[in-house]
Amino acid sequence: MAECATYGTVAVLQINNPPLNVLGHDVRSQLMSGLQQALQDKAVCSIVIMGKGQTFTAGADVKEFGTEKVFWEPTLHSLVEAVSASTKPVVTAIHGTTLGGGVALALASHYRLADSSAKMGLPEVQLGILPTCGVTQRLPRLVGLQTAVRMVTSGQTQSAQQALTAGLLDKVVTDDLLKKAVGFARSVDVRGLEARRVSSWTVPGADRAEDVLDAARKTLVRRSRGAIAPLTALQAIQASLLPFETGMKREAELGRYLWTSWQAAALRYAFFAERTVKRWHIPRNKNVNYRTAEPMDIKSVGVLGAGTMGVGITISLLQAGLKVVLTEVNKAQLDKAVSLIQRSLEGKSGGKPQPMQLRATTDYSQLREVDLVIEAVFEDLALKKKVFQQLDAVTNPRTILATNTSGLDIDQIAAATQRPDKVIGTHFFSPAHVMRLLENIYGRHTSVETIATAMQLGATIGKVGVLVGNCPGFVGNRMKGLNFTEAMFLLEEGAEPQDVDKALEEFGFAMGPFRVSDLAGGDVHWRRRIQAGLTTEHGPPPYTPVLYRQGNRYSPLADMLCMQGRFGQKTGAGWYRYKSGSRTALPDAEVHRLIHKHRQDHGFQRRNISSQEIVERCLFPLINEGFRILEEGLATGPQDIDVIFLLGFGWPRHTGGPMYYADKVVGLGNLLQSLEKYRAYHPRSAHWVPSSLLRKMAAQGTSLSIWAAGSRL
Ligand SMILES: CCCCCCCC/C=C\C=C\CC(=O)SCCNC(=O)CCNC(=O)[C@H](O)C(C)(C)COP(=O)(O)OP(=O)(O)OC[C@H]1O[C@@H](n2cnc3c(N)ncnc32)[C@H](O)[C@@H]1OP(=O)(O)O
């Protein structure tokens, strides 16, 4: 856990708790006793604290957070204070990615040394808590308010060089950190110790504090969208302008407030959910799971289709060092794609992709020897089936064929081939080289090896892969579609697009559904509705009621906009209007007139609709659908649904995701009651019928987390 050794007059305490040296109770205890021994040992003049393995430490053990263990002595706070109070100089030697509590230990030390490849960061606000243990008081004294605010409120890591420039480090070294740290510790003088205690310093640039804090507050109010940790952290940093002991008390007060908040619990859940989804199984056949599967080794990937998705996917693959054959029948489109890819990679790595790594071609037969192909052509089932038939003919029979469809039937696509066991859905989210989610969809015949390979590929290219079953829209789009349906009903009943967007943005989404629709292009879903027979290019299908389609209430408002060519930002008008070259959504009198006339034509009585009703009506049907998905065995557990929404649809992270939010914030009984209430008002919308799993759980008074714990392997 922690090892102690002496090198002449230097005692070295080395954390050894693989893989990430987290500071659990055992590590803290051993570090504390090592420190005390070194202080008592007359032969020791100075002390080095460092870590073995891949990192100094990734900080506190987050698994202890929901438990009492975090308060067992020595707590992290006691350990940090013991380091600060040491009567012998303490040098912290940092390598790898050092986070949270690791930075707290470094700040309390008298000297800080790092390997040139080290990174340092304070991710606490991402866990809904505050960097305590004196971090918010010592850091501004060392690096100034501006850098402290940026590090604490963003959670982003700093490179060793950045940390050195900011004043966070005293020295950056290359190679043999142990030897260099010991040498450094030998050279430091115990007589200067008092002056090396950061707690005795004042914050540099304190005269400009008000401006810095005001500007930060304004940015954070806008950016944090309901998350309380960043603004609370700012208050703690502000307290560094007070005497150190007073500031420490304030930090503890604010720390307690966040520590016990529901948002901290939700963010902790989100942290572990992202890591739990890799432990997948198929609910209907638990023997098919991550343990029973061996992935194929993937070295080369073909990407078919060089549109926006194909380009993003290619960039992701190249960045991970895979060989890519990009295939596109349209030569002009292919050339444009190659230049986009090169520009994107130059921007990131400072170098062009190696000619060996990217081969661009109009010739399908070049895909003959790749290990896996990802098809990213236009979202049309007939086209995809044709493409898969061709791929089946030209590629090696061992090659896995993946489709980037966002909702079409994987089984129908697989049926176009002679190898349905090697066909899988790999649904990337746009922009594919930025978004971290990869929704992997198995079909009826997909083999366990194919599933494991798609999941492994996700990890290789830095994505979080979530495995789901095959159904229209899969998990993400199947649930998300209901949000937009209900948003349009709200317009019919009296809300304006900006009311709906504002309510959901206040809930925490970066953009409300109408702004998202304008960004994505309304025509995409219009084409899907036409394909599904819900509408035509000229209005409702013959003999079809305007407000009722395929057994459900239907709003034709989005179709009406599309029929006028209002597809969103790309046409300068959609639910909003846009000035040329601008992305700012401006309310549009045309849209208001269209909605007003539609209400009059169909006898809707306009009423005021509260933000609460907007949020509930847009989100509760989606959550209800999540319960159906669990019931149908299409996701391994609620974490999988939550991760899809957190990483793919901008669901506010501080609420944990839709299923966690329903379970822990709304409460399953309350959710059921609300569904019943809205169902009574809207009997022609099937999405208000509560799922039987939800009913069962609410009746038993059980929680989704308990159910999930039993269902996960
Ligand atoms: C009244 C009370 C008042 C207030 C009381 C306050 C008390 C507060 C006490 C302490 C607070 C201290 C501040 C902190 O230190 S908070 C923790 C800060 N650290 C983090 O958030 C680290 C997060 N981890 C990461 O970002 C990554 O793991 C990274 C270090 C970058 C490594 O990434 P990667 O190589 O991709 O590895 P994985 O993410 O897959 O992780 C591998 C496994 O390790 C588990 N893990 C990671 N970090 C932690 C951690 N800090 N604690 C516990 N476990 C951790 C992760 O879950 C993986 O496990 P598994 O393979 O089982 O899934």
Side-chain angles (χ1 to χ4, degrees):
M1 287 285 164
E3 296 165 10
C4 310
T6 44
Y7 295 81
T9 58
V10 180
V12 177
L13 314 182
Q14 261 185 306
I15 309 172
N16 187 9
N17 184 24
L20 295 169
N21 284 342
V22 295
L23 302 164
H25 181 252
D26 291 346
V27 174
R28 299 194 302 268
S29 302
Q30 289 174 20
L31 275 179
M32 188 65 126
S33 61
L35 180 68
Q36 281 160 356
Q37 265 174 36
L39 288 172
Q40 279 159 17
D41 187 340
K42 292 206 172 73
V44 169
C45 296
S46 53
I47 301 159
V48 169
I49 302 182
M50 58 190 299
K52 277 196 161 167
Q54 72 181 76
T55 182
F56 167 43
T57 165
D61 184 348
V62 184
K63 290 194 182 96
E64 282 188 354
F65 279 16
T67 74
E68 277 298 304
K69 236 178 171 180
V70 76
F71 301 115
W72 290 0
E73 287 292 346
T75 61
L76 190 60
H77 180 83
S78 318
L79 181 64
V80 168
E81 286 314 304
V83 168
S84 165
S86 167
T87 48
K88 295 179 183 175
V90 178
V91 178
T92 296
I94 294 162
H95 77 288
T97 302
T98 289
L99 301 171
V103 176
L105 278 173
L107 288 170
S109 307
H110 309 97
Y111 298 92
R112 289 156 288 279
L113 199 74
D115 181 80
S116 57
S117 63
K119 288 184 186 150
M120 297 173 80
L122 294 164
E124 283 89 336
V125 292
Q126 290 162 1
L127 290 168
I129 60 171
L130 195 66
T132 48
C133 305
V135 170
T136 63
Q137 304 308 299
R138 290 191 177 97
L139 186 65
R141 285 174 163 80
L142 201 57
V143 301
L145 273 179
Q146 196 139 19
T147 307
V149 167
R150 198 179 56 240
M151 278 188 75
V152 169
T153 61
S154 75
Q156 281 166 4
T157 51
Q158 308 273 302
S159 67
Q161 195 50 51
Q162 286 168 324
L164 181 70
T165 311
L168 178 48
L169 292 173
D170 298 301
K171 193 170 179 184
V172 172
V173 299
T174 45
D175 306 329
D176 209 342
L177 185 62
L178 171 62
K179 191 170 155 203
K180 295 203 172 141
V182 169
F184 185 89
R186 250 185 220 129
S187 73
V188 298
D189 189 347
V190 71
R191 282 169 303 180
L193 204 58
E194 210 44 50
R196 294 296 310 175
R197 288 204 172 90
V198 179
S199 51
S200 64
W201 301 7
T202 53
V203 175
D207 48 325
R208 297 185 314 275
E210 223 165 278
D211 293 346
V212 172
L213 293 168
D214 274 354
R217 200 170 297 114
K218 280 192 192 121
T219 312
L220 287 176
V221 165
R222 192 162 34 84
R223 279 208 201 131
S224 43
R225 295 197 294 267
I228 55 176
L231 277 157
T232 310
L234 186 67
Q235 288 181 49
I237 293 177
Q238 183 168 13
S240 66
L241 298 165
L242 304 170
F244 185 77
E245 290 310 325
T246 319
M248 286 295 280
K249 283 198 185 117
R250 183 77 180 128
E251 181 194 83
E253 225 170 74
L254 293 165
R256 257 191 302 276
Y257 161 64
L258 288 183
W259 184 257
T260 51
S261 68
W262 65 268
Q263 292 194 3
L267 285 160
R268 207 158 56 234
Y269 163 84
F271 173 82
F272 285 116
E274 270 183 25
R275 288 156 176 85
T276 302
V277 294
K278 66 180 176 228
R279 295 189 261 276
W280 55 270
H281 68 251
I282 293 183
R284 288 214 194 86
N285 182 2
K286 286 193 180 177
N287 290 331
V288 179
N289 64 57
Y290 70 99
R291 290 194 202 117
T292 58
E294 197 55 51
M296 262 174 66
D297 187 21
I298 300 295
K299 293 209 164 60
S300 59
V301 180
V303 175
L304 188 67
T308 311
M309 292 308 289
V311 166
I313 294 168
T314 303
I315 294 171
S316 298
L317 296 164
L318 289 171
Q319 273 174 340
L322 293 163
K323 287 183 188 162
V324 181
V325 179
L326 176 62
T327 315
E328 162 66 58
V329 282
N330 180 332
K331 177 78 169 74
Q333 176 75 25
L334 184 67
D335 292 344
K336 192 173 139 203
V338 170
S339 109
L340 278 172
I341 292 163
Q342 283 178 339
R343 254 185 288 147
S344 169
L345 291 177
E346 275 162 22
K348 289 218 175 63
S349 61
K352 291 185 183 180
Q354 301 296 310
M356 279 291 288
Q357 299 293 90
L358 174 62
R359 192 167 359 130
T361 174
T362 54
D363 176 10
Y364 265 42
S365 68
Q366 301 266 327
L367 294 171
R368 190 170 299 120
E369 291 309 323
V370 296
D371 301 317
L372 183 146
V373 178
I374 302 174
E375 162 278 310
V377 302
F378 192 69
E379 191 73 348
D380 176 313
L381 185 59
L383 174 65
K384 292 204 189 253
K385 283 166 80 170
K386 197 171 137 211
V387 162
F388 268 70
Q389 211 172 13
Q390 288 167 334
L391 285 174
D392 197 30
V394 298
T395 56
N396 186 314
R398 285 180 52 252
T399 302
I400 290 180
L401 304 180
T403 168
N404 179 48
T405 173
S406 57
L408 297 174
D409 186 353
I410 302 297
D411 288 332
Q412 286 201 51
I413 295 172
T417 72
Q418 301 297 313
R419 58 179 108 175
D421 58 315
K422 294 199 171 291
V423 175
I424 190 161
T426 49
H427 177 200
F428 288 77
F429 287 68
S430 183
H433 56 300
V434 177
M435 299 288 280
R436 287 174 59 222
L437 178 65
L438 181 64
E439 192 182 25
N440 288 325
I441 310 101
Y442 58 91
R444 193 176 302 137
H445 302 291
T446 310
S447 72
V448 63
E449 184 192 48
T450 304
I451 296 176
T453 307
M455 293 296 280
Q456 178 63 47
L457 179 70
T460 305
I461 62 176
K463 310 264 180 230
V464 179
V466 181
L467 185 68
V468 302
N470 183 28
C471 63
F474 314 135
V475 167
N477 282 331
R478 169 171 162 181
M479 289 171 65
K480 187 69 173 62
L482 295 174
N483 159 311
F484 196 66
T485 305
E486 199 58 36
M488 279 193 298
F489 296 161
L490 287 160
L491 300 189
E492 294 185 328
E493 293 164 37
E496 301 297 334
Q498 60 270 30
D499 301 331
V500 177
D501 283 346
K502 182 163 173 270
L504 286 157
E505 284 159 20
E506 278 170 4
F507 178 78
F509 285 94
M511 273 192 242
F514 295 111
R515 285 177 65 205
V516 170
S517 164
D518 275 1
L519 178 68
D523 51 328
V524 179
H525 287 280
W526 187 41
R527 297 270 157 224
R528 268 191 213 144
R529 292 193 294 275
I530 292 172
Q531 274 194 10
L534 284 163
T535 188
T536 74
E537 285 186 359
H538 315 289
Y543 313 111
T544 308
V546 176
L547 302 180
Y548 199 62
R549 311 276 164 92
Q550 299 179 358
N552 276 303
R553 178 178 170 185
Y554 185 85
S555 171
L557 283 169
D559 302 337
M560 288 157 76
L561 288 189
C562 288
M563 280 156 61
Q564 294 183 7
R566 298 184 67 115
F567 295 153
Q569 286 186 15
K570 62 184 168 192
T571 54
W575 294 100
Y576 297 93
R577 70 188 167 84
Y578 300 85
K579 289 191 178 144
S580 170
S582 160
R583 290 173 177 266
T584 309
L586 302 167
D588 189 346
E590 278 288 312
V591 174
H592 294 239
R593 267 196 293 279
L594 181 138
I595 296 171
H596 182 71
K597 181 164 182 312
H598 173 76
R599 287 184 195 133
Q600 279 189 330
D601 289 350
H602 299 283
F604 286 104
Q605 293 294 318
R606 184 169 188 224
R607 64 185 177 88
N608 285 330
I609 301 178
S610 68
S611 295
Q612 185 184 344
E613 180 176 340
I614 292 174
V615 169
E616 289 181 356
R617 283 186 54 191
C618 288
L619 302 187
F620 287 3
L622 169 165
I623 294 169
N624 190 30
E625 199 66 15
F627 278 91
R628 287 210 181 98
I629 282 168
L630 291 177
E631 207 174 336
E632 292 167 24
L634 293 166
T636 305
Q639 291 98 335
D640 304 70
I641 299 179
D642 285 328
V643 169
I644 287 175
F645 274 80
L646 292 174
L647 300 187
F649 294 94
W651 187 284
R653 195 172 173 89
H654 62 267
T655 72
M659 307 316 283
Y660 181 90
Y661 178 70
D663 195 28
K664 301 288 183 210
V665 185
V666 178
L668 299 189
N670 294 334
L671 174 65
L672 181 62
Q673 259 182 19
S674 299
L675 292 174
E676 297 283 24
K677 177 182 85 183
Y678 289 120
R679 183 188 178 191
Y681 287 118
H682 309 280
R684 298 204 309 175
S685 295
H687 56 245
W688 289 118
V689 179
S691 90
S692 42
L693 180 63
L694 171 62
R695 275 186 195 290
K696 201 164 85 188
M697 284 188 186
Q700 290 172 348
T702 185
S703 91
L704 202 44
S705 51
I706 293 172
W707 179 84
S711 74
R712 198 119 210 160
L713 289 177

